[in-house]
Amino acid sequence: MSSKKRSRREAITSLVQEQGAVTVGSLAERFDVSMQTIRRDVDALCEGDMLHRVHGRIELSEQFLNTPFDQRAGTNLLGKRAIGQAAAALIPDGSTVFISIGSTPLSVAQALRGHKGLTIITNNLSAAMALSEEVSNRIILPGGELRLPDRDILGNEVLDFFGRFRAGFAVFGAAGVASDGGLLEFHTNEVRATQKIRANAQKSILVVDWSKFGRQAPALGDNIADIDTIIIDRRPGETFAPLLDKVNDRLLVAEGEAT
């Protein structure tokens, strides 16, 4: 396969990951190639499990689609509350904290409500609102378009925004954790935002509930082995025991800490 064809197919995959679905006609126009060429690309890409073709467009397969934010936020409430309390216990008053998008980082924000004098730098509007009742806090948000229904902001502007700050802590989640420890997201811009806050924080805190282990998502980010602290509500199945054994000195199991 030529490098040009490979690059085009990688770009098509990224577009579908970002948007969920893209029409064949728009792809031909975007890459300035014939419909026949794009159809060959689409046919090749749909041979795997991630993408499939439906009525003139290419889509992410159902198992790779994310669930709505409010639905995610309403699942495993006790586990996420325990994770949030464990993470909040590591963050002293007066800290500067990056908080990423996602329902489990939101649980950390909710657990931080009793803290004072925090500087919160986040693209997660729900997390910002959770911490806005404490008037000693300083909350910094990026500009841009609010993504609904998730109530967060993503894009290149967010990367520039995060690049202008340094923090003591970066709190973030993941859509899934692969068996080799790879942290998975549904969109590459989510991966880039997480990597930016990790790079600009003194300590990284990954917060994931047990259901994320083995969950599929298309965009690959960093590895769990590179994180300073990993907080889970309870251990997943035996398949992931070897992985967690490798990070045991940085692993907090929050089960039982919820009240």
Side-chain angles (χ1 to χ4, degrees):
M1 183 190 305
S2 69
S3 59
K4 185 176 181 179
K5 182 185 295 185
R6 183 181 300 107
S7 296
R8 186 174 64 247
R9 291 181 180 179
E10 289 174 353
I12 291 171
T13 301
S14 295
L15 276 173
V16 180
Q17 289 174 357
E18 297 283 352
Q19 301 179 24
V22 183
T23 66
V24 174
S26 68
L27 290 173
E29 182 177 353
R30 182 184 185 96
F31 295 101
D32 194 24
V33 295
S34 67
M35 290 288 288
Q36 185 178 11
T37 296
I38 285 294
R39 289 192 183 102
R40 285 197 295 266
D41 289 336
V42 168
D43 288 342
L45 291 170
C46 290
E47 290 177 358
D49 295 330
M50 185 187 300
L51 305 177
H52 70 279
R53 185 174 176 177
V54 180
H55 303 305
R57 65 181 185 272
I58 182 171
E59 298 181 342
L60 277 175
S61 298
E62 184 174 354
Q63 65 266 34
F64 288 92
L65 290 170
N66 202 359
T67 52
F69 178 81
D70 288 337
Q71 181 178 335
R72 301 197 309 274
T75 60
N76 192 17
L77 291 174
L78 289 178
K80 290 178 180 176
R81 186 185 305 164
I83 291 170
Q85 292 172 350
L90 301 177
I91 300 172
D93 288 353
S95 296
T96 299
V97 188
F98 289 122
I99 299 180
S100 80
I101 66 173
S103 59
T104 310
L106 173 58
S107 296
V108 178
Q110 292 167 338
L112 286 169
R113 282 171 169 162
H115 284 51
K116 307 288 186 183
L118 297 174
T119 297
I120 301 297
I121 305 163
T122 184
N123 58 334
N124 184 333
L125 183 60
S126 297
M129 294 303 295
L131 288 162
S132 64
E133 295 176 5
E134 174 52 55
V135 296
S136 68
N137 289 339
R138 182 187 183 200
I139 300 174
I140 307 173
L141 297 168
E145 182 177 351
L146 194 65
R147 184 175 64 159
L148 298 174
D150 294 65
R151 297 184 291 276
D152 56 39
I153 303 168
L154 290 170
N156 291 331
E157 296 87 351
V158 171
L159 298 181
D160 294 339
F161 165 77
F162 283 138
R164 296 196 295 270
F165 297 94
R166 299 294 183 271
F169 301 90
V171 176
F172 55 93
V177 181
S179 58
D180 64 356
L183 301 179
L184 308 175
E185 295 291 356
F186 285 94
H187 304 290
T188 54
N189 53 11
E190 294 174 344
V191 169
R192 292 195 296 268
T194 297
Q195 290 174 331
K196 180 65 72 172
I197 66 173
R198 269 201 63 214
N200 289 352
Q202 295 175 352
K203 185 171 185 178
S204 56
I205 302 176
L206 171 68
V207 290
V208 286
D209 73 84
W210 70 273
S211 68
K212 301 298 176 62
F213 288 84
R215 186 186 186 203
Q216 296 187 67
L220 176 63
D222 295 326
N223 194 281
I224 200 171
D226 301 322
I227 309 304
D228 296 320
T229 301
I230 303 108
I231 305 178
I232 60 178
D233 55 332
R234 59 186 176 92
R235 291 181 179 271
E238 287 300 315
T239 301
F240 288 92
L243 174 66
L244 295 182
D245 286 344
K246 293 179 181 178
V247 297
N248 190 61
D249 60 329
R250 289 168 280 146
L251 179 68
L252 293 179
V253 181
E255 184 179 27
E257 295 186 24
T259 58

